[in-house]
Amino acid sequence: MPESNDADIDVIAVTGACAQERGSCARSIAEARGFVFVPAEQTGQGLEAVDRAVNLMRKAIRVPGVVLEYPLEVPVMEIVGSLTAPEAGTTLIDLVCVLDVGCMLADLDSEEFIRVPLTSDANDGGVITSRAELLVAQIEFASTIAVVNGRSLQPKVLERATSLLSHLAPSAEQRLVANLCSRHGRDGLGGRDGLEVPGRTGRTYAQRPPDAGWVAILNQEFPPQRQSCVVEAIRYEQYRPFHPGRLHHALQACLFQGHCGHILRSAGFARLATRPHITAQWDQVGRIFTLSPLALDDSLGAEDEFLAFGQDLAFIGTGLDELRLRQVLDEAALSDAELEAGPMEWAGFPDQFPAWSTTAR
């Protein structure tokens, strides 16, 4: 009787907000590559259920790999962490985000919130996260983006969607899937259109970790070929901390109300004058904005570097008015007189942002 195989097994993870398209794509990939398919109904039961399925496949003979389909409720960072851990017994070769471009813009602008379980216990309460934040994270962490139903859109609408994806995930490979529901999964994933099945590049996910577009913008590494007249990218730097009252007003009255153009995504690092020793994570998708503590200055070691001395932000959107955007943000920063007054004076500024834990993440 053949011995079982306990070696690491190749895994392709498939994410996406549209369940039908995501499931069809995952099944097609599995069939085209000869991998075992594990549906979202099973992976959604938690890490233990995924581990059981993977361990079963590792011990089986003649199983080249596994395609794991994940529901939107499973955060992509959890997926990557669990599948790339040294003890996982898996080699993540591709992380595919399946996007119905006809729904994508509405999803990114959605104000819907979803409960994300912390454990497999249905009564654990979980945490509440926005649909838009879950989806943009899937896009930014993807090594491959499968664009479905694109041919049903007007060319300009499709161009806008694919350009936005290039800005959100500049290192991801975009593939326009023609016929996702093909019986054998080959017309849309490697047949008539010459599209390769995800995972065939020979490199693992760890060997080609993707950079989110906002990170590439801040690092001045945004690929020139991704520049577009449809979607724009702007980097904003300011060494002065923000006056929390003026920033709060700017966020509510101007920045995300269309007065500076349509800001689809912004992220980076910021500092509030009332919390001068904390670097905050600025994170915005559509209508959802959060400002949360990221690092405490006094927790940095001798070899550590500041994430940002003041503000370092990336903006991605359409029809952006760069001069107006910079003016609004500059006006929210401390003036000369306020800067000279020092932290004792800053502590009295009105601050409507939610309180932060004394221990930054």
Side-chain angles (χ1 to χ4, degrees):
M1 184 174 180
E3 295 183 359
S4 64
N5 175 26
D6 287 326
D8 287 0
I9 191 168
D10 287 347
V11 172
I12 297 174
V14 181
T15 66
C18 298
Q20 181 175 352
E21 286 78 5
R22 182 190 64 224
S24 295
C25 186
R27 290 186 183 89
S28 296
I29 294 171
E31 184 174 356
R33 289 186 57 89
F35 281 19
V36 174
F37 169 63
V38 180
E41 290 79 9
Q42 186 170 346
T43 61
Q45 294 176 14
L47 294 178
E48 292 182 359
V50 175
D51 288 342
R52 287 195 298 269
V54 167
N55 287 330
L56 181 62
M57 295 305 109
R58 288 177 64 209
K59 296 179 183 299
I61 59 174
R62 293 188 293 273
V63 174
V66 181
V67 173
L68 299 173
E69 178 204 358
Y70 287 89
L72 181 64
E73 292 79 10
V74 180
V76 70
M77 287 183 287
E78 178 180 301
I79 296 171
V80 173
S82 64
L83 296 178
T84 58
E87 69 278 7
T90 54
T91 299
L92 181 60
I93 61 174
D94 211 352
L95 178 53
V96 182
C97 180
V98 182
L99 287 173
D100 183 337
V101 290
C103 304
M104 181 184 68
L105 293 177
D107 283 338
L108 291 177
D109 206 35
S110 171
E111 294 185 73
E112 176 188 354
F113 285 83
I114 298 173
R115 187 180 74 86
V116 177
L118 295 175
T119 68
S120 57
D121 183 357
N123 298 316
D124 71 359
V127 296
I128 303 299
T129 306
S130 75
R131 180 183 184 88
E133 289 175 304
L134 289 168
L135 179 57
V136 83
Q138 290 185 353
I139 295 171
E140 292 176 341
F141 273 82
S143 48
T144 299
I145 297 176
V147 178
V148 303
N149 299 331
R151 295 186 177 179
S152 64
L153 302 179
Q154 293 293 327
K156 289 185 177 180
V157 178
L158 178 60
E159 181 187 4
R160 181 190 182 204
T162 55
S163 178
L164 174 59
L165 291 176
S166 294
H167 281 69
L168 294 175
S171 61
E173 298 180 26
Q174 284 191 42
R175 295 174 183 170
L176 184 62
V177 178
N179 185 10
L180 199 56
C181 298
S182 168
R183 180 178 178 182
H184 299 292
R186 304 190 191 278
D187 288 344
L189 291 168
R192 292 193 295 256
D193 297 317
L195 298 174
E196 294 185 356
V197 177
R200 281 187 177 172
T201 61
R203 295 180 297 159
T204 67
Y205 184 88
Q207 292 171 324
R208 54 173 180 194
D211 279 331
W214 69 268
V215 176
I217 293 168
L218 296 189
N219 290 339
Q220 297 182 305
E221 296 174 350
F222 192 74
Q225 66 270 24
R226 297 301 189 188
Q227 300 290 350
S228 166
C229 59
V230 179
V231 179
E232 303 161 276
I234 295 172
R235 181 185 184 187
Y236 174 79
E237 294 180 278
Q238 168 63 263
Y239 290 108
R240 302 180 183 216
F242 281 129
H243 184 293
R246 292 200 296 271
L247 177 62
H248 192 272
H249 175 76
L251 292 171
Q252 289 197 323
C254 183
L255 282 181
F256 306 131
Q257 306 303 319
H259 298 295
C260 299
H262 188 186
I263 300 172
L264 295 159
R265 174 77 168 123
S266 64
F269 311 109
R271 286 187 179 243
L272 297 179
T274 47
R275 313 173 195 195
H277 302 298
I278 302 176
T279 299
Q281 172 76 52
W282 174 299
D283 201 351
Q284 172 260 330
V285 186
R287 302 180 185 184
I288 306 299
F289 175 82
T290 57
L291 192 66
S292 53
L294 191 61
L296 292 167
D297 290 352
D298 57 11
S299 68
L300 298 177
E303 298 180 356
D304 294 328
E305 295 182 1
F306 286 105
L307 292 171
F309 286 101
Q311 328 306 332
D312 196 0
L313 305 172
F315 292 84
I316 298 170
T318 58
L320 298 183
D321 185 338
E322 182 171 355
L323 291 177
R324 176 61 176 154
L325 175 62
R326 293 186 183 280
Q327 179 186 13
V328 168
L329 292 170
D330 284 345
E331 290 175 352
L334 296 187
S335 66
D336 290 344
E338 289 168 337
L339 190 64
E340 291 175 2
M344 294 295 291
E345 182 72 20
W346 305 345
F349 291 165
D351 187 341
Q352 294 178 266
F353 289 96
W356 293 339
S357 169
T358 54
T359 303
R361 293 180 304 183

